[in-house]
Coordinates of all heavy atoms in Angstrom, one line a residue:
M1 N 6.7 6.9 -2.6 CA 7.7 6.8 -1.6 C 7.2 6.3 -0.3 O 6.0 6.4 0.0 CB 8.4 8.2 -1.4 CG 9.3 8.6 -2.5 SD 10.7 7.5 -2.8 CE 11.0 7.8 -4.5
A2 N 8.1 5.7 0.5 CA 7.7 5.1 1.8 C 8.9 5.0 2.6 O 10.0 5.2 2.2 CB 7.1 3.8 1.5
F3 N 8.7 4.6 3.8 CA 9.8 4.3 4.7 C 10.2 2.8 4.5 O 9.4 2.0 4.1 CB 9.5 4.6 6.2 CG 9.6 6.0 6.5 CD1 8.7 7.0 6.1 CD2 10.7 6.5 7.2 CE1 8.8 8.3 6.4 CE2 10.9 7.8 7.5 CZ 9.9 8.7 7.1
V4 N 11.5 2.5 4.8 CA 12.0 1.2 4.4 C 12.8 0.7 5.6 O 13.6 1.4 6.3 CB 12.9 1.3 3.2 CG1 13.5 -0.1 2.8 CG2 12.2 1.9 2.0
I5 N 12.6 -0.6 6.0 CA 13.3 -1.2 7.1 C 14.6 -1.9 6.5 O 14.5 -2.7 5.6 CB 12.4 -2.2 7.9 CG1 11.2 -1.4 8.3 CG2 13.2 -2.8 9.0 CD1 10.1 -2.3 9.0
T6 N 15.7 -1.7 7.1 CA 17.0 -2.2 6.5 C 17.7 -3.2 7.5 O 17.1 -3.7 8.4 CB 17.9 -1.0 6.2 OG1 18.3 -0.3 7.4 CG2 17.2 0.0 5.3
E7 N 19.0 -3.4 7.2 CA 19.7 -4.6 7.8 C 19.7 -4.6 9.3 O 19.8 -5.7 9.9 CB 21.1 -4.6 7.2 CG 22.1 -3.6 7.8 CD 22.0 -2.2 7.2 OE1 21.2 -2.0 6.2 OE2 22.6 -1.3 7.7
A8 N 19.6 -3.5 10.0 CA 19.7 -3.6 11.4 C 18.6 -4.3 12.1 O 18.6 -4.8 13.2 CB 19.8 -2.2 12.0
C9 N 17.5 -4.5 11.3 CA 16.3 -5.2 11.8 C 16.5 -6.7 11.7 O 15.9 -7.5 12.5 CB 15.1 -4.8 11.0 SG 13.5 -5.6 11.6
I10 N 17.4 -7.1 10.9 CA 17.6 -8.6 10.7 C 18.0 -9.3 12.0 O 19.0 -8.9 12.6 CB 18.6 -8.9 9.5 CG1 18.0 -8.3 8.2 CG2 18.9 -10.4 9.4 CD1 19.0 -8.4 7.0
D11 N 17.2 -10.2 12.4 CA 17.4 -11.0 13.6 C 17.3 -10.1 14.9 O 17.4 -10.6 16.0 CB 18.8 -11.7 13.6 CG 18.9 -12.7 12.5 OD1 17.9 -13.3 12.2 OD2 20.1 -12.9 12.0
E12 N 17.0 -8.8 14.7 CA 16.7 -8.0 15.9 C 15.2 -8.0 16.2 O 14.7 -8.4 17.2 CB 17.2 -6.5 15.6 CG 16.9 -5.5 16.7 CD 17.7 -5.7 17.9 OE1 18.9 -6.2 17.8 OE2 17.2 -5.5 19.0
K13 N 14.4 -7.6 15.1 CA 13.0 -7.7 15.2 C 12.4 -7.1 16.5 O 11.6 -7.8 17.1 CB 12.5 -9.1 14.9 CG 13.0 -9.6 13.5 CD 12.7 -11.0 13.3 CE 11.3 -11.3 12.7 NZ 11.1 -12.7 12.4
A14 N 12.7 -5.9 16.8 CA 12.3 -5.4 18.1 C 10.7 -5.1 18.1 O 10.1 -5.2 19.1 CB 13.0 -4.0 18.3
A15 N 10.2 -4.9 16.9 CA 8.7 -4.7 16.7 C 8.1 -3.4 17.3 O 6.9 -3.2 17.2 CB 8.0 -5.9 17.3
D16 N 9.0 -2.5 17.8 CA 8.5 -1.2 18.2 C 7.8 -0.5 17.1 O 6.8 0.2 17.3 CB 9.6 -0.3 18.8 CG 10.3 -1.0 20.0 OD1 10.6 -2.2 19.9 OD2 10.6 -0.3 20.9
C17 N 8.3 -0.6 15.9 CA 7.7 0.0 14.7 C 6.2 -0.4 14.5 O 5.4 0.4 14.2 CB 8.5 -0.2 13.5 SG 8.7 -2.0 13.1
K18 N 6.0 -1.7 14.6 CA 4.7 -2.2 14.4 C 3.7 -1.7 15.4 O 2.5 -1.4 15.0 CB 4.7 -3.8 14.5 CG 3.5 -4.5 14.0 CD 3.7 -5.9 13.8 CE 2.4 -6.7 13.6 NZ 1.5 -6.1 12.6
D19 N 4.1 -1.4 16.6 CA 3.2 -0.9 17.6 C 2.8 0.5 17.4 O 1.7 0.9 17.8 CB 3.9 -1.0 19.0 CG 4.1 -2.4 19.4 OD1 3.4 -3.3 18.9 OD2 5.0 -2.7 20.3
V20 N 3.6 1.3 16.7 CA 3.3 2.7 16.5 C 2.7 3.1 15.2 O 2.2 4.2 15.0 CB 4.6 3.6 16.8 CG1 5.1 3.4 18.2 CG2 5.6 3.4 15.7
C21 N 2.8 2.2 14.2 CA 2.3 2.5 12.9 C 0.8 2.8 12.9 O 0.0 1.9 13.2 CB 2.6 1.4 11.9 SG 2.0 1.8 10.2
P22 N 0.3 4.0 12.5 CA -1.1 4.3 12.5 C -2.0 3.6 11.5 O -3.2 3.6 11.6 CB -1.1 5.8 12.3 CG 0.1 6.1 11.5 CD 1.1 5.1 12.0
V23 N -1.3 3.1 10.5 CA -2.1 2.4 9.4 C -1.8 0.9 9.3 O -2.2 0.3 8.3 CB -1.8 3.1 8.0 CG1 -2.4 4.5 8.0 CG2 -0.4 3.1 7.6
D24 N -1.1 0.4 10.3 CA -0.9 -1.0 10.4 C -0.3 -1.6 9.1 O -0.8 -2.7 8.6 CB -2.2 -1.8 10.8 CG -1.9 -3.2 11.3 OD1 -0.8 -3.4 11.8 OD2 -2.8 -4.0 11.3
C25 N 0.7 -1.0 8.6 CA 1.3 -1.5 7.4 C 2.7 -2.1 7.5 O 3.4 -2.3 6.6 CB 1.4 -0.4 6.3 SG 2.6 0.9 6.7
I26 N 3.0 -2.6 8.8 CA 4.3 -3.2 9.0 C 4.0 -4.7 9.4 O 3.2 -5.0 10.3 CB 5.0 -2.5 10.1 CG1 5.3 -1.1 9.7 CG2 6.4 -3.3 10.4 CD1 6.0 -0.2 10.8
S27 N 4.7 -5.6 8.7 CA 4.4 -7.0 8.9 C 5.8 -7.7 9.2 O 6.8 -7.3 8.8 CB 3.8 -7.7 7.6 OG 2.6 -7.1 7.3
E28 N 5.6 -8.8 10.0 CA 6.8 -9.6 10.3 C 7.1 -10.6 9.2 O 6.3 -11.4 8.8 CB 6.6 -10.3 11.7 CG 7.8 -11.1 12.1 CD 7.7 -11.7 13.5 OE1 6.6 -11.6 14.1 OE2 8.7 -12.2 14.0
G29 N 8.4 -10.5 8.7 CA 8.8 -11.5 7.8 C 9.7 -12.6 8.4 O 9.9 -12.5 9.7
P30 N 10.3 -13.5 7.7 CA 11.1 -14.5 8.2 C 12.3 -14.0 9.0 O 12.6 -14.6 10.1 CB 11.5 -15.3 7.0 CG 10.6 -14.9 5.9 CD 10.1 -13.6 6.2
D31 N 13.0 -13.0 8.5 CA 14.2 -12.5 9.2 C 14.1 -11.1 9.6 O 15.0 -10.6 10.3 CB 15.4 -12.7 8.2 CG 15.3 -11.9 7.0 OD1 14.1 -11.5 6.6 OD2 16.3 -11.7 6.3
Q32 N 13.1 -10.3 9.2 CA 13.0 -8.9 9.6 C 11.6 -8.5 9.4 O 10.8 -9.2 8.8 CB 13.9 -8.1 8.7 CG 13.5 -8.0 7.2 CD 14.2 -6.9 6.5 OE1 15.2 -7.1 5.8 NE2 13.7 -5.7 6.6
F33 N 11.3 -7.2 9.9 CA 9.9 -6.6 9.6 C 10.0 -5.9 8.3 O 11.1 -5.5 7.8 CB 9.5 -5.7 10.7 CG 9.0 -6.4 11.9 CD1 9.9 -6.9 12.9 CD2 7.6 -6.6 12.1 CE1 9.4 -7.6 14.0 CE2 7.1 -7.3 13.2 CZ 8.0 -7.8 14.1
F34 N 8.8 -5.7 7.6 CA 8.7 -5.0 6.4 C 7.6 -4.0 6.4 O 6.6 -4.2 7.1 CB 8.4 -6.0 5.2 CG 9.5 -7.0 5.0 CD1 9.4 -8.3 5.4 CD2 10.7 -6.6 4.3 CE1 10.5 -9.2 5.1 CE2 11.7 -7.5 4.0 CZ 11.6 -8.8 4.4
I35 N 7.8 -2.9 5.6 CA 6.8 -1.9 5.5 C 6.1 -2.0 4.1 O 6.8 -2.1 3.1 CB 7.4 -0.5 5.6 CG1 7.9 -0.3 7.0 CG2 6.4 0.6 5.2 CD1 8.7 1.0 7.2
D36 N 4.8 -2.0 4.1 CA 4.1 -2.1 2.8 C 4.0 -0.7 2.2 O 3.3 0.2 2.7 CB 2.7 -2.6 3.0 CG 1.9 -2.9 1.8 OD1 2.3 -2.3 0.7 OD2 0.9 -3.6 1.8
A37 N 4.8 -0.5 1.2 CA 5.0 0.9 0.5 C 3.7 1.4 0.0 O 3.5 2.6 -0.2 CB 6.0 0.8 -0.5
D38 N 2.7 0.5 -0.4 CA 1.5 0.9 -1.0 C 0.5 1.5 0.1 O -0.5 2.1 -0.2 CB 0.8 -0.3 -1.7 CG 1.5 -0.7 -2.9 OD1 2.3 0.1 -3.5 OD2 1.4 -1.9 -3.3
V39 N 0.8 1.2 1.4 CA -0.1 1.7 2.4 C 0.5 2.7 3.3 O -0.1 3.6 3.9 CB -0.5 0.4 3.3 CG1 -1.5 0.9 4.4 CG2 -1.1 -0.7 2.4
C40 N 1.9 2.7 3.4 CA 2.6 3.7 4.3 C 2.2 5.1 3.9 O 2.2 5.5 2.7 CB 4.1 3.5 4.1 SG 5.2 4.7 4.9
I41 N 2.0 5.9 5.0 CA 1.6 7.3 4.7 C 2.7 8.3 5.1 O 2.5 9.5 5.2 CB 0.3 7.7 5.6 CG1 0.6 7.5 7.1 CG2 -0.9 6.9 5.0 CD1 -0.5 8.0 8.0
D42 N 3.9 7.8 5.2 CA 5.1 8.6 5.4 C 5.1 9.4 6.7 O 5.6 10.6 6.7 CB 5.4 9.5 4.2 CG 5.8 8.7 2.9 OD1 6.1 7.5 3.1 OD2 5.7 9.3 1.8
C43 N 4.5 8.9 7.7 CA 4.4 9.7 8.9 C 5.7 9.8 9.7 O 5.9 10.7 10.5 CB 3.3 9.2 9.8 SG 3.7 7.6 10.6
G44 N 6.5 8.8 9.6 CA 7.8 8.8 10.2 C 7.8 8.2 11.7 O 8.9 8.2 12.3
A45 N 6.7 7.8 12.2 CA 6.6 7.3 13.5 C 7.5 6.1 13.8 O 8.1 6.0 14.8 CB 5.2 7.0 13.9
C46 N 7.6 5.2 12.8 CA 8.4 4.0 12.9 C 9.9 4.3 13.0 O 10.6 3.7 13.7 CB 8.1 3.1 11.8 SG 8.4 3.8 10.1
E47 N 10.3 5.3 12.2 CA 11.7 5.7 12.2 C 12.1 6.1 13.6 O 13.2 5.8 14.1 CB 11.9 6.8 11.2 CG 13.3 7.3 11.1 CD 13.5 8.5 10.2 OE1 12.5 9.3 10.1 OE2 14.5 8.6 9.5
T48 N 11.3 6.9 14.2 CA 11.6 7.4 15.6 C 11.6 6.3 16.6 O 12.4 6.3 17.5 CB 10.5 8.5 16.0 OG1 10.6 9.5 15.0 CG2 10.9 9.1 17.3
A49 N 10.6 5.4 16.4 CA 10.5 4.3 17.4 C 11.5 3.2 17.4 O 11.8 2.5 18.4 CB 9.1 3.7 17.2
C50 N 12.1 3.0 16.2 CA 13.1 1.9 16.0 C 14.3 2.0 16.9 O 15.0 3.0 16.8 CB 13.5 1.8 14.6 SG 14.6 0.4 14.3
P51 N 14.5 1.1 17.8 CA 15.6 1.2 18.8 C 17.0 0.9 18.2 O 18.0 1.2 18.8 CB 15.3 0.1 19.8 CG 14.5 -0.9 19.1 CD 13.7 -0.2 18.1
V52 N 17.0 0.4 16.9 CA 18.3 0.1 16.3 C 18.6 1.0 15.0 O 19.5 0.7 14.3 CB 18.5 -1.4 16.0 CG1 18.5 -2.2 17.3 CG2 17.3 -1.9 15.1
G53 N 17.7 2.0 14.8 CA 18.0 2.8 13.6 C 17.9 2.1 12.3 O 18.7 2.5 11.4
A54 N 17.0 1.2 12.2 CA 16.9 0.4 11.0 C 16.1 1.0 9.9 O 16.1 0.5 8.7 CB 16.4 -1.0 11.3
I55 N 15.3 2.1 10.2 CA 14.3 2.6 9.3 C 14.7 3.9 8.7 O 15.1 4.8 9.4 CB 12.9 2.6 10.0 CG1 12.6 1.3 10.6 CG2 11.8 3.1 9.0 CD1 11.3 1.2 11.3
F56 N 14.6 4.0 7.3 CA 14.9 5.2 6.6 C 13.9 5.6 5.6 O 13.2 4.7 5.1 CB 16.2 5.0 5.8 CG 17.4 4.7 6.7 CD1 17.7 3.4 7.1 CD2 18.2 5.7 7.2 CE1 18.8 3.0 7.9 CE2 19.3 5.4 8.0 CZ 19.6 4.1 8.4
Y57 N 13.7 6.9 5.3 CA 12.9 7.3 4.2 C 13.6 6.8 2.9 O 14.8 6.9 2.8 CB 12.8 8.8 4.2 CG 11.8 9.3 3.2 CD1 10.4 8.9 3.2 CD2 12.1 10.2 2.2 CE1 9.5 9.3 2.3 CE2 11.2 10.7 1.3 CZ 9.9 10.2 1.3 OH 9.0 10.7 0.4
E58 N 12.8 6.3 2.0 CA 13.3 5.7 0.8 C 14.3 6.6 0.0 O 15.3 6.1 -0.4 CB 12.1 5.3 -0.2 CG 12.6 4.5 -1.4 CD 11.4 4.0 -2.2 OE1 10.2 4.1 -1.7 OE2 11.6 3.6 -3.3
D59 N 14.0 7.9 0.0 CA 14.9 8.8 -0.7 C 16.3 8.9 0.0 O 17.3 9.4 -0.6 CB 14.3 10.2 -0.8 CG 13.4 10.4 -2.0 OD1 13.3 9.4 -2.8 OD2 12.8 11.4 -2.1
D60 N 16.3 8.6 1.3 CA 17.6 8.8 2.0 C 18.4 7.5 2.1 O 19.4 7.5 2.8 CB 17.2 9.3 3.4 CG 16.5 10.6 3.4 OD1 16.8 11.4 2.5 OD2 15.7 10.9 4.4
L61 N 18.0 6.5 1.5 CA 18.7 5.2 1.5 C 20.1 5.3 0.8 O 20.1 5.9 -0.3 CB 17.9 4.1 0.9 CG 16.7 3.6 1.6 CD1 15.9 2.7 0.7 CD2 17.0 2.9 2.9
T62 N 21.1 4.7 1.4 CA 22.4 4.6 0.7 C 22.2 3.6 -0.4 O 21.3 2.8 -0.4 CB 23.5 4.2 1.7 OG1 23.1 2.9 2.2 CG2 23.7 5.1 2.8
A63 N 23.1 3.6 -1.3 CA 23.1 2.7 -2.5 C 23.0 1.3 -2.0 O 22.2 0.5 -2.6 CB 24.3 2.9 -3.4
E64 N 23.8 0.9 -1.0 CA 23.8 -0.5 -0.6 C 22.5 -0.9 0.2 O 22.2 -2.1 0.3 CB 25.0 -0.8 0.2 CG 25.1 0.0 1.5 CD 26.5 -0.3 2.3 OE1 27.4 -0.8 1.6 OE2 26.5 -0.1 3.5
R65 N 21.7 0.1 0.6 CA 20.5 -0.2 1.3 C 19.3 -0.2 0.4 O 18.2 -0.6 0.8 CB 20.3 0.8 2.4 CG 21.2 0.5 3.6 CD 20.8 1.4 4.8 NE 21.6 1.1 6.0 CZ 22.3 2.0 6.7 NH1 22.2 3.2 6.4 NH2 22.9 1.6 7.7
K66 N 19.5 0.2 -0.9 CA 18.3 0.2 -1.8 C 17.7 -1.1 -2.0 O 16.6 -1.3 -2.4 CB 18.7 0.9 -3.1 CG 19.1 2.4 -2.9 CD 18.7 3.2 -4.2 CE 19.1 4.6 -4.0 NZ 18.3 5.4 -3.1
K67 N 18.5 -2.2 -1.8 CA 18.0 -3.6 -2.1 C 16.9 -3.9 -1.1 O 16.1 -4.8 -1.4 CB 19.1 -4.6 -1.9 CG 19.7 -4.6 -0.5 CD 20.9 -5.5 -0.4 CE 21.6 -5.5 1.0 NZ 22.9 -6.0 1.0
F68 N 16.8 -3.1 0.0 CA 15.7 -3.4 0.9 C 14.3 -2.9 0.4 O 13.3 -3.4 0.9 CB 16.0 -2.8 2.3 CG 17.1 -3.6 3.0 CD1 18.4 -3.2 3.0 CD2 16.8 -4.7 3.7 CE1 19.4 -3.9 3.6 CE2 17.8 -5.5 4.4 CZ 19.1 -5.1 4.3
V69 N 14.3 -2.0 -0.5 CA 13.1 -1.6 -1.2 C 12.5 -2.8 -1.9 O 11.3 -3.2 -1.8 CB 13.3 -0.5 -2.1 CG1 12.0 -0.1 -2.9 CG2 13.8 0.8 -1.4
E70 N 13.4 -3.5 -2.7 CA 12.9 -4.6 -3.5 C 12.6 -5.8 -2.6 O 11.7 -6.6 -2.8 CB 14.1 -5.0 -4.4 CG 13.7 -6.0 -5.5 CD 14.8 -6.3 -6.5 OE1 15.7 -5.4 -6.6 OE2 14.7 -7.3 -7.2
K71 N 13.4 -6.0 -1.5 CA 13.1 -7.1 -0.6 C 11.7 -7.0 0.0 O 11.0 -8.0 0.2 CB 14.2 -7.1 0.5 CG 14.1 -8.3 1.4 CD 15.3 -8.3 2.5 CE 15.2 -9.5 3.4 NZ 16.2 -9.5 4.5
A72 N 11.3 -5.7 0.4 CA 10.0 -5.5 0.9 C 8.9 -5.8 -0.1 O 7.9 -6.4 0.2 CB 9.9 -4.1 1.5
R73 N 9.2 -5.3 -1.3 CA 8.2 -5.5 -2.4 C 8.0 -7.0 -2.6 O 6.9 -7.5 -2.8 CB 8.7 -4.8 -3.7 CG 7.7 -4.8 -4.8 CD 8.2 -4.1 -6.0 NE 8.8 -2.7 -5.7 CZ 10.0 -2.3 -6.1 NH1 10.8 -3.1 -6.8 NH2 10.4 -1.1 -5.9
D74 N 9.1 -7.8 -2.7 CA 9.1 -9.2 -2.9 C 8.3 -9.9 -1.8 O 7.5 -10.8 -2.0 CB 10.5 -9.8 -3.0 CG 11.2 -9.4 -4.3 OD1 10.5 -8.9 -5.2 OD2 12.4 -9.7 -4.3
F75 N 8.5 -9.4 -0.5 CA 7.8 -10.0 0.6 C 6.3 -9.8 0.4 O 5.5 -10.8 0.6 CB 8.2 -9.3 1.9 CG 7.4 -9.7 3.1 CD1 7.6 -11.0 3.7 CD2 6.5 -8.9 3.6 CE1 6.8 -11.4 4.8 CE2 5.7 -9.2 4.7 CZ 5.8 -10.5 5.3
Y76 N 5.8 -8.6 0.1 CA 4.4 -8.4 0.0 C 3.8 -9.1 -1.2 O 2.6 -9.5 -1.2 CB 4.1 -6.9 0.0 CG 4.2 -6.4 1.5 CD1 5.3 -5.6 1.9 CD2 3.2 -6.7 2.4 CE1 5.4 -5.2 3.2 CE2 3.3 -6.2 3.7 CZ 4.4 -5.5 4.1 OH 4.5 -5.1 5.4
Q77 N 4.5 -9.2 -2.3 CA 4.0 -9.9 -3.5 C 3.9 -11.4 -3.2 O 3.1 -12.1 -3.9 CB 5.0 -9.7 -4.7 CG 4.8 -8.3 -5.3 CD 5.7 -8.0 -6.4 OE1 6.6 -8.7 -6.7 NE2 5.5 -6.8 -7.1
S78 N 4.6 -11.9 -2.3 CA 4.5 -13.3 -2.0 C 3.4 -13.6 -1.0 O 3.2 -14.8 -0.7 CB 5.9 -13.8 -1.4 OG 6.1 -13.3 -0.1
Q79 N 2.8 -12.6 -0.4 CA 1.7 -12.8 0.6 C 0.4 -13.2 -0.1 O 0.1 -12.8 -1.1 CB 1.5 -11.5 1.4 CG 2.7 -11.1 2.2 CD 3.2 -12.2 3.2 OE1 2.5 -12.5 4.1 NE2 4.4 -12.8 2.9
Ligands
LIG1 FE1 3.7 3.2 9.3 FE2 4.3 5.8 9.4 FE3 6.3 4.0 9.4 FE4 4.8 4.4 7.2 S1 6.2 5.9 8.2 S2 5.4 2.4 8.1 S3 2.8 4.8 8.1 S4 4.7 4.3 11.0

C-alpha cells in the first residue's frame, strides 16, 4: 500500500508534497505529480502538505479515484 496523488493535482502541481517526502519518492509527471508505491513508507506527510487535498491513502480511494493507482504505476514503468 502507498499514498496516491489524484485529480486535484492535475494542472495544479503545487509540489509541496515533493518538498516534505522523507524518502524522495514523488516525481513530476507531464500533468501531475506521482508517488512511487515501491518506495513510499506511508508516513502521510504529503497528504498533510498538499494544499488541494489531492493525496489519499490507497485503501481510502473512492472507486473513481482507483485509476490513479494504475496511472502512477504506468508512469514509473515508463521511466
Ligand atoms: Fe513520501 Fe510519506 Fe507521502 Fe509516501 S506518504 S509519498 S513516504 S511523504
Side-chain angles (χ1 to χ4, degrees):
M1 286 297 156
F3 279 75
V4 181
I5 303 176
T6 65
E7 76 282 351
C9 184
I10 296 174
D11 297 328
E12 177 70 32
K13 297 172 89 174
D16 298 46
C17 58
K18 190 168 169 50
D19 293 340
V20 300
C21 180
V23 293
D24 196 23
C25 71
I26 302 177
S27 300
E28 185 173 5
D31 63 340
Q32 67 165 99
F33 280 85
F34 293 105
I35 293 170
D36 186 343
D38 292 337
V39 183
C40 175
I41 57 170
D42 293 345
C43 72
C46 57
E47 179 186 30
T48 304
C50 180
V52 293
I55 305 178
F56 299 88
Y57 188 57
E58 188 173 345
D59 273 356
D60 298 331
L61 289 170
T62 58
E64 63 184 20
R65 287 187 173 130
K66 292 211 183 290
K67 64 187 176 194
F68 287 96
V69 175
E70 192 173 342
K71 187 177 177 183
R73 192 181 304 131
D74 289 348
F75 170 76
Y76 283 104
Q77 284 178 351
S78 70
Q79 297 301 294

